[in-house]
Amino acid sequence: MDDNGAPTFEQDLIRAIFKHIWVKKAQERERNEFPNTEAVDSEVGAGTSKKNRPTSEAVQRAGTIAEAEGSTKIEPTHLERILPQLLLDF
């Protein structure tokens, strides 16, 4: 209690409570934004909005380059190669 008789809490306890709540909210947001990541990965570009169109287009083009090279993963170099073309298209 402080001098006025009001209850006080330790700063570390308050920080721990806030951190716990922030982590839970972040996990909830992540679950809501990406409910089924396997479906998203297998259907890149399916049902995209105008806002996400450049991103899905970049992933598709980089995937084409990676596939042509025989790679199963899209690497930063693949994205770097398609960026100039992508910027000119949009």
Side-chain angles (χ1 to χ4, degrees), residues 5-55:
T8 59
F9 298 96
E10 292 184 29
Q11 288 183 353
D12 292 337
L13 175 63
I14 300 298
R15 282 191 189 115
I17 291 170
F18 279 125
K19 184 177 180 179
H20 178 71
I21 291 170
W22 289 331
V23 167
K24 284 182 78 171
K25 285 188 178 185
Q27 289 171 344
E28 268 182 36
R29 273 194 309 272
E30 192 172 300
R31 262 194 309 263
N32 291 338
E33 289 177 10
F34 307 108
N36 189 356
T37 55
E38 291 176 13
V40 172
D41 289 342
S42 65
E43 299 175 10
V44 172
T48 57
S49 66
K50 286 185 178 183
K51 187 168 76 173
N52 293 331
R53 193 174 298 150
T55 304

Side-chain angles (χ1 to χ4, degrees), residues 76-87:
T77 56
H78 299 131
L79 288 168
E80 289 171 358
R81 288 188 210 159
I82 59 100
L83 280 179
Q85 180 186 17
L86 187 71
L87 290 172

Side-chain angles (χ1 to χ4, degrees), residues 59-77:
V59 170
Q60 288 176 348
R61 291 182 187 189
T64 302
I65 290 175
E67 193 175 326
E69 291 181 351
S71 178
T72 58
K73 290 184 179 180
I74 297 174
E75 297 178 7
T77 56

